[in-house]
Amino acid sequence: QVQLVESGGRLVQAGGSLRLSCAASGRTFSSYAMGWFRQAPGKEREFVATVDWSSAITYYADSVKGRFTISRDNAKNTVFLQMNSLKPEDTAVYYCAARMDYVAATNSYEYSYWGQGTQVTVSS
């Protein structure tokens, strides 16, 4: 069983930055690929970013590429999402997710555990 707790979401102006954190329980965090997804009001949940177990491989949605950076600290059982140059269309609930595999993945159905989400609101 893996428990995930996100934090760091808040209201920010367009052009600003935020850093989301996701703390994971469990002693085998380093063997999971991790991902960030988001869901805006009235829209389906969408992929944002993913990182493999070793931080060697990362993938990003085209909409955030060059602005967002995913990273992880296996010693602290934590994954991060650094978000720069935020836009109003980035407004959503952001979820972190754990995949029971070393390899990064972009589809939500490949993830077994999910956090409760943290709200990010970008004002124009």
Side-chain angles (χ1 to χ4, degrees), residues 14-101:
S17 297
L18 279 178
R19 189 193 197 201
L20 304 184
S21 300
C22 174
S25 65
R27 294 180 295 175
T28 57
F29 175 78
S30 60
S31 63
Y32 310 150
M34 298 295 296
W36 285 96
F37 294 77
R38 66 186 183 186
Q39 187 167 19
K43 295 187 177 181
E44 294 187 351
R45 189 172 300 188
E46 66 174 1
F47 165 74
V48 175
T50 181
V51 60
D52 76 341
W53 71 280
S54 68
S55 301
I57 304 294
T58 58
Y59 298 115
Y60 296 92
D62 288 343
S63 59
V64 307
K65 202 170 294 182
R67 300 188 297 123
F68 290 11
T69 303
I70 188 171
S71 61
R72 65 189 296 162
D73 184 340
N74 287 343
K76 297 183 178 180
N77 283 14
T78 304
V79 62
F80 305 97
L81 185 68
Q82 177 66 43
M83 307 187 293
N84 299 328
S85 302
L86 283 161
K87 305 175 181 179
E89 51 263 44
D90 294 318
T91 295
V93 177
Y94 283 72
Y95 300 89
C96 74
R99 181 172 191 241
M100 299 296 100
D101 196 287

